[in-house]
Amino acid sequence: MSTSTSDMLEGASVSTSRSQRLRADGALALITSLWGITFVVVKDALGYGDPFTFLTLRFLVGAVVLTTVAGRRLLTARNLRVGVMLGTCLFLAFALQTVGLATTTPSRSAFITGLCVLLVPLLSMLVYRRAPKFTSLLGVGLAAVGLYFFTQPEGGLTTGGVSRGDVLSLGCAVAYACHILLTERHAPKQGVMGLVAVQLWTVAALSALCLPFVERRLVWHPSLVGAVLLCGVLASAVAISVQTWGQARTTAVRAALIYSLESVFAAVYSVLLGYEVLGPREWLGGGLILSGVLMSEVGAVAWLWWRARAPAR
């Protein structure tokens, strides 16, 4: 094979890989926008049911929906093994965040949970010995600063010391980071529904096991039923399937950066629905988060283009 032909094939392969990655990133951004609106929906629903009852119902609905589609594929040894592992990480993230909110403020919880955007590259370097690209790290830094301004932890993170809720929120961030990393490592290129169905069954089962130890409350109100169906089908069954598909085609660091947009989408929906008004600080924070994502997406391409045009020395 000639050198020119080899270069053409290599260039085509790189172009195809980049195209797949961009499609995956776009899909992850789409589901992140969906997760953003669930904050408003869940807030209304929790007026009629306790968190663990809601989680049990939400993930049970999602699990049933995906099981009807996946059929026997969820019973493969690999899907059961990996699905239970990923589902446990997902449950820990939800449970730690929910319990932590009892002893910390929502703004501090949101910021600390959002720190998973910093933890993903750190864990990637520690566990997989894989250093992210410089532009991705720069994007992570911008997103972390943006999260601080956007969520406005009350009085900063040192006021009143570190509470139990802060520690639990940090545990939530670690669990989210582990879920993102493990999803990238174990997500199959095809046939993701069986794996995701096992995850949803795992979260539903673990949430149900918590019910005897918490104060239970359940009122069958349209807001609760609608939230269970929306979150169970779209935000869980569909979105986590898309997440698993997308993370098989992009990096965990890029995925974590895209997920950092969740708080921005949630705020935009909240403003549009009249729940709150954003001030200059929130707009600054949201802009920094978006800049961080764009830095990761565009920065690497721009850097390679600049180096290619730079004169040889």
Side-chain angles (χ1 to χ4, degrees):
M1 181 183 295
S2 66
T3 303
S4 60
T5 303
S6 177
D7 291 341
M8 288 175 61
L9 290 175
E10 182 179 353
S13 176
V14 171
S15 177
T16 300
S17 176
R18 184 177 299 160
S19 175
Q20 288 181 345
R21 190 176 61 203
L22 288 174
R23 284 199 300 270
D25 291 346
L28 295 181
L30 181 62
I31 63 169
T32 301
S33 69
L34 174 62
W35 285 332
I37 200 172
T38 61
F39 277 87
V40 178
V41 174
V42 172
K43 179 178 177 63
D44 289 339
L46 290 180
Y48 306 97
D50 66 274
F52 283 98
T53 296
F54 177 77
L55 288 177
T56 302
L57 293 173
R58 166 186 174 170
F59 284 96
L60 181 61
V61 167
V64 170
V65 168
L66 273 191
T67 299
T68 60
V69 178
R72 296 182 179 180
R73 284 175 290 177
L74 83 163
L75 297 177
T76 66
R78 183 185 183 280
N79 280 346
L80 290 173
R81 183 181 70 256
V82 176
V84 168
M85 176 177 61
L86 291 172
T88 300
C89 290
L90 200 58
F91 165 76
L92 287 173
F94 277 103
L96 290 170
Q97 184 180 58
T98 301
V99 177
L101 276 169
T103 50
T104 190
T105 65
S107 60
R108 287 167 72 105
S109 172
F111 173 69
I112 296 171
T113 300
L115 290 179
C116 71
V117 74
L118 288 176
L119 295 174
V120 168
L122 291 176
L123 290 175
S124 180
M125 287 187 285
L126 288 174
V127 177
Y128 299 138
R129 304 285 190 245
R130 185 178 58 201
K133 295 178 180 178
F134 170 74
T135 50
S136 293
L137 290 177
L138 185 58
V140 164
L142 284 172
V145 175
L147 280 167
Y148 181 82
F149 282 108
F150 192 81
T151 55
Q152 298 187 50
E154 293 179 9
L157 294 179
T158 58
T159 302
V162 178
S163 69
R164 176 173 176 266
D166 294 336
V167 175
L168 293 175
S169 297
L170 182 59
C172 168
V174 173
Y176 270 132
C178 290
H179 184 266
I180 292 170
L181 274 177
L182 291 171
T183 298
E184 180 203 17
R185 187 173 184 84
H186 296 286
K189 291 285 186 179
Q190 304 295 333
V192 302
M193 291 185 178
L195 176 62
V196 176
V198 176
Q199 288 186 62
L200 301 188
W201 280 115
T202 301
V203 179
L206 292 175
S207 299
L209 289 175
C210 292
L211 291 177
F213 306 100
V214 298
E215 182 179 348
R216 297 185 299 279
R217 177 170 46 87
L218 178 62
V219 178
W220 291 107
H221 187 273
S223 293
L224 176 68
V225 175
V228 167
L229 294 176
L230 174 67
C231 294
V233 178
L234 293 180
S236 296
V238 175
I240 297 177
S241 295
V242 174
Q243 174 195 6
T244 306
W245 174 89
Q247 284 201 228
R249 293 161 174 82
T250 191
T251 67
V253 176
R254 290 166 69 96
L257 271 168
I258 293 169
Y259 298 152
S260 71
L261 288 170
E262 183 179 43
S263 58
V264 179
F265 282 121
V268 169
Y269 291 132
S270 187
V271 168
L272 291 176
L273 294 173
Y275 284 91
E276 60 181 307
V277 177
L278 299 184
R281 183 167 176 165
E282 288 91 343
W283 286 111
L284 172 61
L288 287 171
I289 294 172
L290 182 59
S291 298
V293 175
L294 291 176
M295 175 61 67
S296 176
E297 295 291 330
V298 181
V301 177
W303 172 254
L304 291 174
W305 176 84
W306 181 84
R307 289 193 63 182
R309 289 179 60 86
R313 296 183 179 179

